[in-house]
Amino acid sequence: MLDSKVYKDLGLDDIRGRVEAGERLSIEDGERLLGCPSVLAVGALAHEARRRMHGDVAYYVVNQHINYSNLCVNSCRFCAFGRKQGDPLAFELTLDEILGKVKARSQDPITEVHMVGGCHPSLPLSFYEEAIQAIKALRPELRIKAFTAVEIAHFAGLEGITPRQVLLRLKAAGLDMLPGGGAEVFSPRIRGLLCPEKLSGQGWLDIARDAHELGIRTNATMLYGHIETARERLEHLDALRRLQDETRGLVCFIPLPFQPANTRVQDARPTTGVEDLKTMAVSRLMLDNVPHIKAYWVMLTVKLAQVALYFGADDFDGTVVEEKIGHMAGAESEQALTRTELERVIREGGFSPVERDCFFNEVKRG
Ligand code: V47
């Protein structure tokens, strides 16, 4: 933390005291931090909270993203990935093609497959069960983090069963965890304007709760930097914090800066670095019960993600290899990082790299 005089001058003395005492911050505290003109003062508070939880460790994972299809029944205005049938950029992988992607990486020390797609109009749940089973048969040591709460709700609708039943079937097939996508901003106002067909914010939270109750842990995201207010961001964080008080099932939170290219959000501009760092820091400070905060380099760029490790983030995500959702929306980052590159960026940032699996268990290599 910076000198107490700095916080006194900024009118944030009370918040500094609460962070020092490990007390919970209110939504209003969060608004004051987001509005604070000194990104360093806010960042130093978040760094203190981060250091208490994780010391100088920064985590990364050796993973592989697989997008099985971008066909989507929804038309979210912020999304450049989803396509309708017949669109020249629409794609759909067969089971063999999904397995081909896993086989192509069989020499790499991957521990996690992150698999998501759009809300495909017709693929049955059995397709996803078979995909999970086949990947596990090929490489039993892999953890499969797949299908957002939005996809789970969609599968349930197609099959005429409950999201809980979908989760149970996927778990039985070998699903280890749900990724954090689809949360966007929970505000009904924002969803009405940007993604009216999508599962509601409350629906997202309910499915995450179902998953946690069934022993399936999840991540959570927030897509920010479009038309949401500071208050709506903070209410989103507060909703996640309340869910976590109930279930303890959230592993990692990922603030995603909106990438505007090829989207239908009017007058949208990319976020700025200071906005990204403040949002990261406020996320760490508000989500006092969520163990990990991810600097997702794909959306932030590698350089800003490295700096974000001083603003509350403790995780760098992973090698990724082939990313579509951010890059179709103009993300300027690389497609992949090697383990050596990830470790170098973390180490040169002044942190100790620790390889983890999807649950943040340390991976020890012989
Ligand atoms: O749900 C869509 C977002 C998410 C854009 O759980 C956009 O470990 C920026 O959830 N600009 C998918 N973001 C990515 C995601 C994720 C990524 C890495 C790790 C994990 C994890 C989860 O991307 C979507 C949506 O919120 N998104 N369009 C866009 N134009």
Side-chain angles (χ1 to χ4, degrees):
M1 271 189 255
L2 305 182
D3 191 78
S4 61
K5 180 167 182 321
V6 174
Y7 294 93
K8 213 170 258 157
D9 291 348
L10 289 164
L12 297 176
D13 214 18
D14 54 334
I15 295 184
R16 181 189 189 275
R18 280 194 275 290
V19 172
E20 199 167 32
E23 286 168 18
R24 181 158 283 194
L25 301 187
S26 67
I27 289 183
E28 290 70 31
D29 290 339
E31 278 182 298
R32 286 164 63 201
L33 289 169
L34 273 186
C36 170
S38 167
V39 65
L40 285 180
V42 180
L45 293 178
H47 193 55
E48 172 69 20
R50 176 235 195 272
R51 278 185 60 83
R52 261 187 233 151
M53 293 168 107
H54 305 294
D56 71 350
V57 164
Y59 295 95
Y60 71 94
V61 60
V62 181
N63 66 351
Q64 175 178 19
H65 279 213
I66 298 178
N67 295 126
Y68 56 87
S69 172
N70 63 352
L71 281 173
C72 191
V73 298
N74 297 335
S75 304
C76 304
R77 302 186 79 79
F78 54 77
C79 180
F81 170 73
R83 300 282 152 164
K84 301 292 175 215
Q85 230 139 17
D87 186 303
L89 290 182
F91 70 87
E92 183 177 347
L93 303 185
T94 62
L95 203 49
D96 279 348
E97 286 168 332
I98 293 175
L99 291 182
K101 288 198 180 279
V102 177
K103 280 183 198 153
R105 301 283 309 282
S106 60
Q107 298 310 308
D108 295 354
I110 294 168
T111 60
E112 172 197 281
V113 167
H114 176 158
M115 184 165 70
V116 291
C119 288
H120 189 283
S122 58
L123 281 175
L125 185 55
S126 56
F127 174 85
Y128 306 106
E129 291 174 303
E130 280 168 37
I132 293 172
Q133 281 159 348
I135 295 172
K136 281 260 161 120
L138 209 57
R139 288 186 77 170
E141 77 283 7
L142 284 185
R143 297 290 192 179
I144 301 183
K145 181 177 80 181
F147 315 122
T148 66
V150 173
E151 287 163 277
I152 300 294
H154 175 69
F155 302 160
L158 281 183
E159 298 285 329
I161 58 177
T162 64
R164 230 172 219 271
Q165 288 169 317
V166 172
L167 288 165
L168 279 170
R169 275 179 57 178
L170 293 173
K171 187 179 182 196
L175 177 73
D176 292 291
M177 187 176 171
L178 300 191
E184 324 308 359
V185 179
F186 294 138
S187 148
R189 181 185 83 86
I190 295 294
R191 283 179 122 78
L193 289 170
L194 292 187
C195 49
E197 306 101 338
K198 193 169 212 155
L199 177 68
S200 68
Q202 191 53 53
W204 192 100
L205 288 161
D206 289 343
I207 290 181
R209 182 183 299 100
D210 278 343
H212 299 170
E213 285 173 2
L214 296 171
I216 305 169
R217 303 193 73 193
T218 76
N219 289 342
T221 54
M222 172 173 73
L223 178 68
Y224 69 92
H226 37 86
I227 58 167
E228 83 291 357
T229 62
R231 180 85 191 182
E232 284 162 337
R233 279 188 208 178
L234 285 152
E235 285 170 351
H236 182 92
L237 295 174
D238 184 56
L240 289 172
R241 188 166 68 175
R242 282 185 279 122
L243 172 70
Q244 183 74 336
D245 277 342
E246 271 179 65
T247 67
R248 300 280 152 187
L250 293 171
V251 177
C252 183
F253 174 73
I254 309 127
L256 296 168
F258 174 55
Q259 318 282 317
N262 309 318
T263 70
R264 291 174 299 121
V265 179
Q266 251 145 38
D267 305 325
R269 294 178 306 180
T271 56
T272 64
V274 164
E275 184 183 6
D276 291 334
L277 294 176
K278 261 198 220 170
T279 306
M280 188 68 71
V282 171
S283 301
R284 174 65 289 160
L285 290 165
M286 292 296 292
L287 295 174
D288 51 24
N289 53 4
V290 175
H292 301 285
I293 306 285
K294 179 175 306 196
Y296 186 43
W297 59 263
V298 169
M299 307 287 188
L300 288 170
T301 74
V302 174
K303 290 185 182 188
L304 194 64
Q306 183 192 39
V307 177
L309 296 175
Y310 284 96
F311 287 76
D314 62 279
D315 181 48
F316 216 82
D317 199 71
T319 44
V320 176
V321 177
E322 188 192 22
E323 199 283 334
K324 291 194 194 302
I325 298 174
H327 285 95
M328 284 177 92
E332 287 171 5
S333 57
E334 299 71 351
Q335 274 286 341
L337 290 181
T338 63
R339 232 170 106 209
T340 315
E341 283 168 318
L342 276 166
E343 291 218 350
R344 182 176 77 89
V345 170
I346 291 172
R347 205 168 268 126
E348 286 195 8
F351 295 87
S352 304
V354 169
E355 187 185 341
R356 62 162 179 91
D357 67 10
C358 71
F359 302 118
F360 283 79
N361 298 312
E362 183 171 350
V363 174
K364 291 212 164 60
R365 306 236 173 237

